[in-house]
Amino acid sequence: MVTKLKEGVYWVGVVDWDARHFHGQELSMRRGTTYNAYLICDEKTVLVDAVAEPFQGQLIANISEIIAPAEIDIVVANHSESDHSGALPAVLRHAPDAAVVVSKRGAESVEGHYHRPWNFRKMQTGDRIDIGRQELLFVEAPMLHWPDSMFTYLTGDNILMSNDAFGQHYATALRFNDQVNQDELYEEALKYYVNILTPFSGAVARKIDELLALGLPVDVIAPSHGVIWRSDPLQIANKYKEWAAQKPENRAVILYDTMWNATRRMAEAIGQGLAEEGVDCKLIHVGVSDRNDALVEVFKSRTIVLGSPTFNNGLLPGIMPILEDIKGLKFKHKLGAAFGSYGWSGEAVKIIEKHFEDSKIPLAREGIRCKWRPRSEDLAACRAFGKALGEATKSD
Ligand code: FEO
């Protein structure tokens, strides 16, 4: 089913209600996703972005509701990742003479994915293509979120097709932001930002400033995932600027793994200490929790408290993925602290502190260890540790 955005402009994408993971198994999606593609029927016919390869038949069927796919003159591939480019070979089988419009880096990455001698046209920021009544204006958007990423702006109708930027992994029956539950929408928009765009926050802020400085009227922001922003569309650009500043709340998150509940009891006592200081915190047992949701709590929090028992002279393996993410997502304005129980060698706290150092997160306080199961005095020390972390969390 297609959805009309403006006269001659249609959403021809697909809704994937069943998707639960993205980037392989790396990113969880509780509410599915959409792959948005847009068809513009002017003197020239333009397809902006495609969909994932398993949905290519649905894309072709959607386009066929409007025009014969062979009539497509221009295919814009704003970004080469296969959730958007997977159906390009099918589209170009129908329209083999179509120009494939890409950013400079996109020429490399699209060719690198498909190894086809397509008729590539490389665009730079400010380049335009006259399509009749309107023009396509291109804005390179490197690192939002790949080097090849590009925005396509449709003059006249004032539609910014922003590819991954401003998206959400959010399957919906209705296509526009004013038609869906706002709490769900922003929960998914934030989870998407945290897990995909946080490391590029500087580029995000600069690109939004650059866009606003262009003074282009924006009636619609049409990303490649989730709902289309037609009601107060710049609300999501402003929200991205706020998120890009990475200003945390004065709260903490305690992330831990545990074998026989000794480290769990330490976590609970540290949480009590934080609460005694009036600092809100969440305890997340990473062994049984969604890592991508936990990272949203990391993003919101000033203080990250990480705990693991010592296991084989190291950490419990279950906590390793989130340590890798904390480093890779390059969080700013954080404080760290480590804790953990041990029976024999007891290296875990030092190893976690090294991870904080590698992640450029300063320690709020030297970590705390507990040998064997915590006694009441150990738990009292953990509460005091939590209180000290609470003071540090509130100090800025
Ligand atoms: Fe939606 Fe970067 O792919």
Side-chain angles (χ1 to χ4, degrees):
M1 193 176 102
V2 305
T3 301
K4 189 171 171 180
L5 272 70
K6 300 257 187 168
E7 200 58 44
V9 183
Y10 304 90
W11 174 86
V12 290
V14 298
V15 180
D16 186 352
W17 292 96
D18 296 342
R20 289 295 177 269
H21 291 95
F22 197 76
H23 288 160
Q25 298 297 305
E26 194 275 328
L27 174 56
S28 67
M29 302 189 295
R30 275 175 294 149
R31 296 187 172 103
T33 194
T34 73
Y35 309 105
N36 297 339
Y38 301 99
L39 187 71
I40 304 165
C41 300
D42 202 322
E43 288 172 22
K44 290 192 186 306
T45 302
V46 182
L47 179 70
V48 179
D49 290 321
V51 302
E53 189 269 343
F55 301 95
Q56 61 186 17
Q58 184 64 56
L59 174 68
I60 298 297
N62 289 347
I63 294 168
S64 301
E65 286 187 32
I66 313 295
I67 49 120
E71 293 177 32
I72 293 172
D73 300 297
I74 297 168
V75 177
V76 178
N78 278 317
H79 165 50
S80 66
E81 207 167 3
S82 54
D83 50 321
H84 310 294
S85 67
L88 286 180
V91 170
L92 288 154
R93 273 197 296 277
H94 285 271
D97 296 329
V100 179
V101 172
V102 290
S103 67
K104 196 170 162 198
R105 303 299 300 275
E108 174 192 339
S109 59
V110 175
E111 200 285 329
H113 275 77
Y114 299 101
H115 315 296
R116 307 282 172 93
W118 291 329
N119 174 23
F120 288 110
R121 288 183 64 182
K122 298 179 203 170
M123 295 293 138
Q124 294 182 317
T125 294
D127 287 348
R128 292 171 181 254
I129 297 178
D130 186 346
I131 59 170
R133 184 173 60 89
Q134 305 182 98
E135 286 182 319
L136 302 175
L137 167 64
F138 299 94
V139 178
E140 293 164 289
M143 305 323 294
L144 272 75
H145 67 123
W146 270 21
D148 63 2
S149 297
M150 181 170 75
F151 297 165
T152 300
Y153 176 78
L154 180 64
T155 65
D157 283 334
N158 306 331
I159 300 173
L160 180 69
M161 287 161 280
S162 56
N163 196 262
D164 280 326
F166 311 125
Q168 331 91 47
H169 288 310
Y170 185 27
T172 53
L174 301 170
R175 297 274 60 79
F176 297 102
N177 67 312
D178 51 293
Q179 297 175 304
V180 300
N181 180 287
Q182 299 300 293
D183 292 339
E184 288 183 359
L185 170 57
Y186 269 99
E187 197 176 305
E188 295 303 336
L190 176 60
K191 180 175 177 178
Y192 185 101
Y193 185 91
V194 169
N195 284 279
I196 296 174
L197 288 154
T198 302
F200 315 118
S201 288
V204 168
R206 286 191 296 277
K207 184 54 58 178
I208 291 173
D209 285 343
E210 181 190 322
L211 268 179
L212 296 175
L214 289 173
L216 299 169
V218 177
D219 292 351
V220 175
I221 293 180
S224 59
H225 296 291
V227 297
I228 297 162
W229 303 87
R230 70 174 176 189
S231 172
D232 183 16
L234 289 177
Q235 66 178 284
I236 188 62
N238 290 326
K239 191 54 85 171
Y240 263 43
K241 278 207 76 173
E242 180 187 318
W243 291 336
Q246 295 200 52
K247 188 169 186 314
E249 299 169 30
N250 283 342
R251 55 196 271 187
V253 60
I254 301 174
L255 304 160
Y256 69 95
D257 207 351
T258 191
M259 290 172 67
W260 298 108
N261 292 319
T263 300
R264 176 203 299 277
R265 295 183 71 203
M266 294 180 74
E268 290 167 351
I270 293 166
Q272 288 167 11
L274 282 156
E276 283 170 31
E277 277 300 310
V279 171
D280 193 13
C281 71
K282 283 203 163 49
L283 271 73
I284 298 177
H285 178 184
V286 296
V288 297
S289 303
D290 182 292
R291 195 176 88 254
N292 304 107
D293 289 336
L295 288 164
V296 174
E297 296 303 323
V298 171
F299 181 83
K300 291 176 181 172
S301 300
R302 169 72 168 140
T303 302
I304 309 167
V305 194
L306 280 166
S308 169
T310 297
F311 177 78
N312 292 339
N313 303 110
L315 306 182
L316 268 190
I319 203 164
M320 297 308 293
I322 203 156
L323 293 181
E324 198 60 34
D325 275 323
I326 287 171
K327 184 168 73 174
L329 292 175
K330 300 183 172 65
F331 291 110
K332 299 273 192 288
H333 313 308
K334 304 295 186 196
L335 294 172
F339 67 99
S341 65
Y342 67 103
W344 308 108
S345 55
E347 295 95 332
V349 164
K350 284 292 168 214
I351 293 170
I352 292 171
E353 290 178 342
K354 178 70 169 63
H355 279 279
F356 278 125
E357 182 185 334
D358 293 345
S359 306
K360 301 185 170 51
I361 294 174
L363 294 178
R365 191 180 168 91
E366 196 172 321
I368 185 167
R369 302 191 306 167
C370 169
K371 192 167 171 64
W372 303 114
R373 289 175 70 83
R375 299 171 175 81
S376 59
E377 56 266 34
D378 297 316
L379 294 175
C382 287
R383 280 197 301 281
F385 183 73
K387 276 175 70 78
L389 295 181
E391 286 169 16
T393 302
K394 293 188 294 186
S395 65
D396 288 340

